[in-house]
Amino acid sequence: MSTPETSRFVRLRVDLVLEVDDVDAVTGAALARIADDGDLSAEERAPARDAVAGDTAEALAYLVDPFGLVGDVPGVELQQASWSSERIDYDPDSPEWGLDDDGDEVYGDGFDDASDGDRGDVSGESGR
């Protein structure tokens, strides 16, 4: 009897809820990152600036780097990443924002798994 091979690939899901106390600081940091991004062409910079200037959630999506989460973890290599941000109504006292009985996160969008359904997110891909 042989043991089935286990996959070397692991999907790590992280869901964060952030409170933005200083919209100008977030927007300014995102605009600075765009200005310093040598991989962006002039044609790409203008729409990126417009997006982060008009939406704090988009500015956060531009600033958060999922590669930084695992870049220093020994023995792993990031194969693919995507991330998103969206404005939400959040009530920390609501039971829908707690853990369910299985210990799985229950998301405020009504789904009990971040991959279920269309959440209407603005996603960044691994090419950023």
Side-chain angles (χ1 to χ4, degrees):
M1 186 179 251
S2 68
T3 308
E5 240 182 87
T6 58
S7 176
R8 298 182 332 209
F9 299 96
V10 174
R11 180 183 309 259
L12 175 66
R13 295 187 181 165
V14 177
D15 196 42
L16 305 170
V17 175
L18 305 172
E19 181 177 4
V20 178
D21 292 327
D22 189 343
V23 172
D24 292 336
V26 172
T27 302
L31 291 171
R33 170 110 15 117
I34 290 168
D36 294 340
D37 190 340
D39 293 331
L40 285 179
S41 68
E43 296 81 30
E44 294 169 317
R45 282 183 204 282
R49 280 193 305 262
D50 291 344
V52 302
D55 185 359
T56 307
E58 181 64 26
L60 278 168
Y62 200 87
L63 291 168
V64 172
D65 179 14
F67 302 98
L69 293 174
V70 295
D72 294 332
V73 176
V76 300
E77 180 179 338
L78 183 62
Q79 297 296 308
Q80 178 181 355
S82 65
W83 62 105
S84 62
S85 64
E86 63 185 333
R87 290 186 178 275
I88 60 169
D89 292 323
Y90 176 68
D91 177 3
D93 297 326
S94 171
E96 87 177 38
W97 288 98
L99 296 177
D100 68 6
D101 292 335
D102 296 333
D104 293 332
E105 186 70 27
V106 177
Y107 297 88
D109 61 4
F111 298 106
D112 43 281
D113 185 320
S115 65
D116 291 342
D118 178 12
R119 295 171 51 152
D121 298 340
V122 177
S123 296
E125 294 300 326
S126 60
R128 240 195 234 181

